Amino acid sequence: MNIIEVHELKKRYKNVFVVKGVSFHVQNGEVFGFLGKNGAGKSTTVNMLTGICFPTEGKFFINGISHQNMDEIKTCIGVMPDVSNYYLHMNAVEHLKFFAELKRIKMKKENIYDLLEQVGLKGHEKKKVGYYSFGMKKKLGIAQALIGSPKVIFLDEPTSGLDPESAFAIQNMIKCLSKKGLTIFMTSHNLHEVENICDRVAIMKDGLISKMGTIEELKKKGIEHIELLIKVKGDHHYAIHCLKKAVNHEIVDIYNDGDYIYCSLHHEDAIPICVRILCEIGVNVYEINVKKRSMEDIFFES
């Protein structure tokens, strides 16, 4: 089931379209990564989905509600604010209570404590937000987005600027929220993070979506050959000769590279054949690396 549906969404500022016709969907309970270089139109698209600005053309639905009814949409979404948008003189309980009132949601104090515990801020409820660390503010931002049990939360760079331990904690929190059925729509420049936690991603370029799919789908797309790097000990030249003789029809390219044999193959089915041949001729195989496209490759190709 799609909880977000976007159809030919466009946004124009003066005479320039910064979003030029974007269409995509997000499934219920999915962690959806929305990527793009600065100026690609990513933030403007998110701003339209969260009601900060109105589309010039096109339409979208969140939880079956049309963008024409943005006030109703806002009752079923949560947005993690930028770290600068906090009331530093308030403590965490006061802060969440204030934003609950803005959303016209009545929250009991025990519910606020439960929410703060859920995001890892137990024991810091009465501490003023001005004394929170950068990572604690990020967690408070997620708690703020969770006010009112929304169907979808929008997270803008949820781990940017964090140390590895804090980033790991928030990534695990996102995974847990998704497992509970919450839909996460997140932007991030941390491509390793995207690869680790997102079910699907869309990449924007020049106001349009250039690529979209699961991580595996995007990695496989455009791959023409399987590239192997095999660390061996023994007669490299004889090993290459034997591989050529046995699977020449599968080999695109093969050569010696120090302690390694580089081998480009047409199909992955030839990999175990190559390993077996090397073992049969007495060449010791120490390591096999199959080169795969990374999220960095995919992102910078966009």
Side-chain angles (χ1 to χ4, degrees):
M1 177 183 172
N2 297 333
I3 195 161
I4 299 176
E5 294 186 4
V6 179
H7 304 280
E8 288 298 317
L9 207 59
K10 297 181 182 181
K11 183 63 181 177
R12 183 182 64 222
Y13 289 108
K14 294 185 178 179
N15 295 322
V16 179
F17 277 96
V18 293
V19 178
K20 302 174 182 177
V22 169
S23 298
F24 62 89
H25 69 272
V26 179
Q27 296 172 1
N28 193 31
E30 190 172 35
V31 181
F32 189 81
F34 200 60
L35 316 181
K37 298 175 185 177
N38 293 336
K42 175 184 80 236
S43 296
T44 302
T45 302
V46 174
N47 286 346
M48 285 188 279
L49 296 178
T50 54
I52 295 173
C53 63
F54 200 78
T56 304
E57 295 179 31
K59 58 186 178 181
F60 66 85
F61 300 86
I62 298 181
N63 199 33
I65 306 165
S66 167
H67 74 281
Q68 302 283 355
N69 300 315
M70 203 64 217
D71 286 342
E72 191 177 349
I73 283 179
K74 287 180 180 179
T75 64
C76 62
I77 68 171
V79 181
M80 187 187 82
D82 183 83
V83 289
S84 61
N85 297 332
Y86 294 97
Y87 292 95
L88 305 183
H89 64 284
M90 294 182 178
N91 63 40
V93 174
E94 293 167 340
H95 187 85
L96 294 185
K97 184 180 179 182
F98 174 73
F99 277 95
E101 289 172 352
L102 286 180
K103 294 187 76 170
R104 297 178 181 177
I105 295 170
K106 290 184 179 180
M107 286 187 75
K108 295 179 180 179
K109 187 170 285 189
E110 55 263 35
N111 298 134
I112 294 176
Y113 273 82
D114 288 343
L115 190 52
L116 289 169
E117 182 177 0
Q118 186 179 354
V119 299
L121 290 176
K122 184 178 180 179
H124 302 280
E125 299 90 346
K126 294 298 182 69
K127 188 175 183 179
K128 289 191 182 297
V129 176
Y131 294 104
Y132 270 22
S133 68
F134 192 76
M136 291 168 72
K137 288 175 182 173
K138 290 277 190 180
K139 291 177 180 178
L140 182 62
I142 295 176
Q144 184 176 318
L146 292 171
I147 290 172
S149 301
K151 301 286 187 181
V152 183
I153 61 170
F154 291 84
L155 305 180
D156 185 15
E157 300 285 345
T159 64
S160 64
L162 296 182
D163 61 84
E165 185 178 358
S166 298
F168 184 73
I170 286 181
Q171 289 166 9
N172 277 342
M173 188 193 310
I174 292 170
K175 290 179 183 178
C176 289
L177 291 170
S178 175
K179 287 178 181 177
K180 292 177 180 178
L182 184 64
T183 303
I184 318 286
F185 189 107
M186 61 176 279
T187 67
S188 178
H189 284 106
N190 184 337
L191 299 178
H192 176 72
E193 170 180 270
V194 169
E195 189 168 357
N196 184 37
I197 66 176
C198 290
D199 299 304
R200 287 191 307 131
V201 300
I203 303 176
M204 283 199 75
K205 180 181 180 181
D206 298 328
L208 295 167
I209 290 179
S210 62
K211 294 180 180 178
M212 184 163 56
T214 66
I215 303 296
E216 285 306 310
E217 285 170 349
L218 294 179
K219 283 184 176 182
K220 288 177 181 178
K221 199 171 184 179
I223 293 180
E224 297 179 359
H225 306 125
I226 307 297
E227 296 182 41
L228 292 182
L229 206 58
I230 310 171
K231 186 177 182 180
V232 299
K233 291 288 179 70
D235 189 337
H236 289 64
H237 297 291
Y238 179 60
I240 290 172
H241 169 76
C242 291
L243 288 173
K244 283 183 176 179
K245 186 176 179 180
V247 289
N248 189 54
H249 61 290
E250 287 287 355
I251 292 175
V252 179
D253 191 17
I254 187 168
Y255 57 84
N256 180 39
D257 185 11
D259 288 337
Y260 292 85
I261 293 173
Y262 169 84
C263 186
S264 180
L265 303 168
H266 285 295
H267 303 103
E268 64 180 8
D269 294 342
I271 296 174
I273 300 173
C274 292
V275 175
R276 186 173 68 248
I277 290 167
L278 292 173
C279 293
E280 286 175 353
I281 64 175
V283 174
N284 293 322
V285 178
Y286 287 83
E287 184 182 326
I288 300 175
N289 288 313
V290 180
K291 185 180 178 182
K292 296 183 178 179
R293 295 171 83 211
S294 65
M295 274 306 300
E296 284 83 359
D297 295 328
I298 295 164
F299 183 81
F300 288 111
E301 286 168 6
S302 299

